[in-house]
Amino acid sequence: MSNLNVLVSGSGIAGSVFAFCLLRAYPDANITIVERDPALRLTGASVDIRSSAVDIIKWMGLEPAIRQQTTNEKGVQFVDGNGKAVATLEASGDVRMQSATSEYEIFRGALTKIFTDPIIDRVNTIFDETVDHYEQREDGVFVTFTRSKETKQYDLLVAADGIRSKIRAAMLDTSPEEHITSKGVHVAYFTIKKDLLNGGQLAKWYNAPNRRAIFIRPDPDPAGRTRGNLMVLTTDKDLETRQKLDDAVRKGNESFMTLLEELFKDVGWLAPEVLKGMRQSEDFYCSLFGRVRAPKLQKGRVALLGDAGYATPGIGTSLAIIGGYVLAGELLKNDGDVAMAVQGYEDIMLPHVSGMGNWESSMQYANPETWWGIWIRNTILGVVTGFKLDRLATMVASALGLSAEQKVAMPDYPWLSEYPWPKEG
């Protein structure tokens, strides 16, 4: 079926990678992307690329373009209240065994643009629009849009509409919040209009008691900027603070900034400058690190892609890339048979994401509650990095052909031997 008619809800990384790959499989496919924002959202914090996603960006021909736009971050340095380094985790330099800093650290907006540029003239993108509801019939899925009120027929509806996916809720007959779990990790992201790292390429991480953390990262913009993150982690013992944070997120940016100013006013280090930069930033946003584990990734002619089906802090971008590639590959493998393709997609992706560890709990351990806990964490990291045990472990594993990043077992899809458009990079 070369003339597949597909609707993608969401123009982010998951949706754009899927569209790119589907056009590689079916150059004549009719792809419509609806996006709730009035334009492509080309802002966002640093994301990275790991595991099978590295192989996919190489296959796409986009690795050179991605490397050209990385943030040039060379590692993460943990500091004390005086700014003195207590441990440094350097980038590994090996895409097979990446450290906390990936070999592909890149701002979300830049990555989205790299994925979108090759296809922007080959898809129909409708901005300021969303899916209101849909109805599945034997001959297709009939989608009604929120603003236009139009109803149109498609062969496949792909939900790439994020962690609070309305389409997931409709598919599973539940609420958008139902399959989101959180371990109390609230994060604010913003760009500081000053280089607080003084030209350095090491990100810096500072912890204060009560699981508060300041994380600043390099920004290669020649104007001199820094990417700021403020994190607050709460446990089940501190539900009052967690509720305050949840309420502030729901109320919006102003409410969350005000709460952060209260929570970080006494933490020391660069807190005053970071808070000032936060207030002056033009791209502030806040979120709760949530995990989505939908029990199904497909039903009939509807498929959940990326965060809509399996949001995973720390590796969500890579999973979005992998998912887009696999879904398009299964449509090619099954000659456009949507039912067979979405089932094959689920059979590959669902076991993979279900076996992933609890990243949120790891964040709790990495951000201790007391000064004593912070001292112990720093001492352990100082010994490990001081004796270069982290580097040694990486080198040995690489020499043995091992990988710290679990790859996805994927079929060898019969892609077209030539790209239907010029390769990038």
Side-chain angles (χ1 to χ4, degrees):
M1 183 186 290
S2 62
N3 59 341
L4 277 169
N5 186 22
V6 178
L7 176 65
V8 181
S9 178
S11 65
I13 290 169
S16 57
V17 170
F18 167 70
F20 183 110
C21 296
L22 187 62
L23 287 170
R24 175 84 183 268
Y26 297 106
D28 296 327
N30 181 22
I31 302 173
T32 299
I33 300 176
V34 290
E35 169 57 47
R36 65 185 176 188
D37 289 331
L40 285 175
R41 188 164 71 88
L42 299 178
T43 58
S46 176
V47 297
D48 57 34
I49 302 172
R50 301 173 183 270
S51 180
S52 300
V54 173
D55 301 323
I56 293 169
I57 62 169
K58 292 178 179 179
W59 169 85
M60 295 171 78
L62 298 178
E63 188 205 19
I66 291 171
R67 280 199 178 276
Q68 287 173 7
Q69 296 197 46
T70 58
T71 65
N72 298 319
E73 184 176 300
K74 302 302 182 186
V76 178
Q77 188 172 79
F78 292 83
V79 299
D80 63 17
N82 296 314
K84 180 181 177 181
V86 296
T88 302
L89 296 173
E90 297 178 354
S92 69
D94 186 344
V95 298
R96 298 169 300 172
M97 301 291 295
Q98 300 188 63
S99 69
T101 293
S102 168
E103 300 305 302
Y104 302 99
E105 291 285 344
I106 183 171
F107 297 129
R108 179 195 176 279
L111 185 60
T112 299
K113 191 172 188 302
I114 289 171
F115 287 144
T116 303
D117 278 353
I119 64 168
I120 194 68
D121 295 328
R122 300 177 59 86
V123 301
N124 177 30
T125 305
I126 304 172
F127 293 106
D128 202 20
E129 185 62 281
T130 60
V131 172
D132 184 75
H133 62 275
Y134 67 86
E135 178 185 353
Q136 299 210 55
R137 303 176 191 170
E138 187 175 340
D139 56 342
V141 54
F142 290 75
V143 177
T144 300
F145 297 101
T146 305
R147 290 179 63 86
S148 70
K149 308 301 181 185
E150 290 184 307
T151 298
K152 295 186 178 181
Q153 178 182 354
Y154 299 92
D155 297 313
L156 172 65
L157 169 60
V158 178
D161 52 343
I163 191 170
R164 290 178 172 82
S165 169
K166 288 177 59 179
I167 299 173
R168 180 184 70 240
M171 190 187 93
L172 299 175
D173 192 23
T174 184
S175 73
E177 308 292 329
E178 178 67 24
H179 295 100
I180 303 174
T181 59
S182 165
K183 293 295 182 181
V185 184
H186 293 77
V187 188
Y189 308 87
F190 47 93
T191 300
I192 301 169
K193 299 175 183 178
K194 180 180 180 181
D195 183 5
L196 298 183
L197 295 169
N198 299 313
Q201 294 181 317
L202 290 173
K204 296 198 175 185
W205 189 304
Y206 169 70
N207 282 94
N210 297 319
R211 303 185 191 276
R212 294 168 293 175
I214 299 175
F215 187 35
I216 56 175
R217 313 185 77 169
D219 185 326
D221 190 292
R225 308 192 308 187
T226 312
R227 296 297 175 121
N229 297 168
L230 293 175
M231 294 183 286
V232 183
L233 295 85
T234 52
T235 67
D236 292 340
K237 298 178 181 178
D238 191 9
L239 296 180
E240 182 179 352
T241 300
R242 182 179 295 182
Q243 188 61 53
K244 285 183 180 180
L245 290 160
D246 287 342
D247 291 344
V249 169
R250 279 192 290 269
K251 290 177 182 177
N253 289 346
E254 176 60 33
S255 177
F256 200 74
M257 281 193 280
T258 299
L259 181 57
L260 288 177
E261 287 169 332
E262 176 187 335
L263 293 174
F264 282 84
K265 63 184 178 183
D266 62 345
V267 303
W269 191 46
L270 296 177
E273 290 184 82
V274 172
L275 289 172
K276 179 180 178 181
M278 175 189 74
R279 273 293 176 186
Q280 295 174 343
S281 67
E282 298 173 355
D283 59 352
F284 178 93
Y285 71 99
C286 55
S287 69
L288 173 65
F289 268 19
R291 172 192 292 255
V292 171
R293 285 297 178 265
K296 290 177 62 65
L297 298 180
Q298 55 80 31
K299 186 176 181 181
R301 294 177 177 270
V302 180
L304 307 180
L305 182 63
D307 285 355
Y310 35 83
T312 306
I315 197 170
T317 299
S318 297
L319 289 177
I321 294 169
I322 295 166
Y325 174 89
V326 170
L327 181 55
E330 288 297 311
L331 284 163
L332 176 60
K333 175 186 171 185
N334 292 282
D335 194 26
D337 185 321
V338 171
M340 293 289 290
V342 296
Q343 183 62 62
Y345 161 72
E346 180 181 84
D347 290 344
I348 292 170
M349 294 301 297
L350 196 57
H352 179 73
V353 299
S354 297
M356 289 188 162
N358 194 333
W359 187 88
E360 297 95 327
S361 293
S362 299
M363 283 290 288
Q364 297 282 357
Y365 291 122
N367 295 274
E369 187 170 359
T370 64
W371 281 123
W372 176 242
I374 294 169
W375 181 85
I376 293 174
R377 194 275 315 268
N378 288 347
T379 300
I380 293 172
L381 286 175
V383 170
V384 169
T385 58
F387 286 97
K388 299 190 182 300
L389 299 179
D390 57 324
R391 307 285 292 178
L392 178 62
T394 297
M395 288 189 293
V396 170
S398 180
L400 293 174
L402 303 175
S403 174
E405 297 169 356
Q406 182 183 359
K407 291 199 172 187
V408 182
M410 296 180 290
D412 186 11
Y413 297 118
W415 301 102
L416 293 176
S417 59
E418 297 294 335
Y419 284 74
W421 56 81
K423 284 190 179 183
E424 294 290 309

